[in-house]
Amino acid sequence: MDAECSQLLPHVCGVLVDNRQLMTDDSIYEKLLDWFKDLLGTVSAEELLNENPCIPGLFQQVLRIDEADHSLLTFSMRLAGELAAQEGGFKYLMSDNTIQDMFGDQIYTNETWKDASIRRAWIQSLLSMVQHQEALHFLHTGGIIERMLNLLMDSSLFVASAVNDLVAHVFLMFVKLTGQTEISHVSDLPDTALRILGCLEKLLTSGVSQSVTQSLKLLTAIFRGCANAMAAVLWPRIAELVTSLLRQKPVHAAPHLEELLLALTRFPVLCSPEHDLWMVMKEALKSLNPFQAGSLAYGILKSKSCSQDVCLQAMCVLLQPLDCVLRSSAADCGPPGFLDELVSDPSVVENLMSKKASCVSLLCQCLIHLTELCEKDCLAVQVPYRAVLDSVVLILSLCLGHAIGLSAAGFHLGRSLIGSLRVERSALDAIGGLSRWPLRPEELTKTYNVLTAYLENPETDATVLKKAFQASVKWLQAWHTSDEHWAEGRTFLQGLCPVIMKRLCSPPGRCATLPWSSSPASQLLLKDKRMSDKF
């Protein structure tokens, strides 16, 4: 710290605790805290405290004020946590009882504890502090662990969310700093880690939705931070409890169950047959609602160590909304959809597809995941890409009003999708991604026709028009680099050139929607004289 700052700091601390000069702008505290954080990157906490006794003096004065300003107390807690993150700073603040008074029993009995912002600051400060063995010892002997676990069910969502991060961090730090990272059994865990695990198991089996949610969120945070060996020990302990949750109707905290299961897929050790992770995944794909099951299925398909049968099941779950589109568009006695196996009850998906809001959301989720899968070079299972393309083309036609379902379900689907910009954008992204897959001439023709319809339609929204151009460029690039399907590609380009010229001559607002004016694709479409001469 330079001499000028050192001279000013005592005056600043004096102003902060002067009740005649209360701060009206809370951002001052944030700026001060950021300044101290930057300072601690260049000087040790112990040195800073020794050379500036006004800082511990500030803490003592704040603690002596009966009704301290909450913003000032919050600032003091967070600053103490930053200083105590270094072992030297922690010992210094322990020596004058700042740590004990600011984070121990005295603060709980204070009226200010009723303020959620104070509880949250207490959590954030401990999260900063718990970086070394001395801080862990204080938590273990100072009754802090019990207070942390009680806050898991705090009435404030901000507090409950913050304490999740703290408890997960404390669990992992106790394992790491006690030298027990290579554990082979749950009993090898430190006592505090076992205590936290026992609390989570109790919440998981409580039957109370909020308790189950908090437990799952905390377990997810722990698994995201732990090592392979730790995961192999923790998962068998909770696997049966997770399976029990999946068998309940309705499934408690389904989105958080999905997040936990996806967090587990990153551990190679859990993919071995001795661990029942994939059996639990199959149960989840059947039990979760189509939104959560679809996200889980996408996560499974991205995993490199998933078994073939689970990947097949995941693919069926992911594509079920597209299958439903094809089935609903046919006559009541028409052919079925393209999936050989419907993993979950099709009536659940059909019910969601019969309502506009859920239909749009489910289709957009499915199309977004499909687009991302198209970028994968290899998947564990074969995608029925021709049927998928038929479904996406049909969706785009329904959005334009160019297709009408022959069944009652198809009629309702058409009414839900017509003019839906969200679905149009997602479907055009998906159809652009499908250009990477091999297709037959008839599929190419259908794709080119629907893209041309969007480009020619004067009512096409600007954002949708941009997506249609981008998808067209991808299909033309795929055709231009291949000797196959020359006739279909040439026909598409012949029809596309007049549309492009018309758009380029449109008013400035329409011209601005062209997304590739300086891209290699624009050269392919507008500057390739060799192709232009052909036509």
Side-chain angles (χ1 to χ4, degrees), residues 428 431-432 435 451 466-476:
L428 286 166
I431 211 166
S435 64
L451 288 173
K466 179 177 179 179
K467 297 282 187 182
F469 270 119
Q470 289 171 333
S472 299
V473 168
K474 288 182 179 179
W475 280 90
L476 284 170

Side-chain angles (χ1 to χ4, degrees), residues 320-338 350 353 387 389-399 402-415 417 446:
Q320 195 164 343
L322 299 185
D323 179 79
C324 183
V325 168
L326 284 184
R327 284 188 286 109
S328 64
S329 67
D332 290 328
C333 58
F338 59 85
E350 289 166 4
M353 297 287 281
L389 181 66
D390 284 343
S391 182
V392 177
V393 168
L394 178 57
I395 289 169
L396 286 169
S397 298
L398 288 167
C399 289
H402 290 183
I404 299 174
L406 299 178
S407 66
F411 175 74
H412 288 298
L413 183 64
R415 292 185 62 182
L417 295 185
K446 285 189 292 187

Side-chain angles (χ1 to χ4, degrees), residues 467-487:
K467 297 282 187 182
F469 270 119
Q470 289 171 333
S472 299
V473 168
K474 288 182 179 179
W475 280 90
L476 284 170
Q477 286 174 328
W479 159 66
H480 191 240
T481 56
S482 172
D483 293 332
E484 293 185 78
H485 313 304
W486 180 263

Side-chain angles (χ1 to χ4, degrees), residues 38-63:
D38 290 341
L39 191 60
L40 287 169
T42 59
V43 64
S44 73
E46 186 176 14
E47 182 183 347
L48 185 62
L49 290 166
N50 277 321
E51 293 180 358
N52 298 276
C54 60
I55 300 175
L58 169 69
F59 296 148
Q60 293 301 323
Q61 284 181 276
V62 170
L63 288 168

Side-chain angles (χ1 to χ4, degrees), residues 286-320:
K286 291 180 180 178
S287 304
L288 295 176
N289 74 46
F291 288 101
Q292 276 85 50
S295 294
L296 178 62
Y298 174 64
I300 289 172
L301 289 169
K302 289 197 300 180
S303 173
K304 296 180 180 179
S305 49
C306 178
S307 61
Q308 183 85 9
D309 59 327
V310 180
C311 275
L312 179 61
Q313 184 173 344
M315 184 65 74
C316 291
V317 168
L318 184 68
L319 298 180
Q320 195 164 343

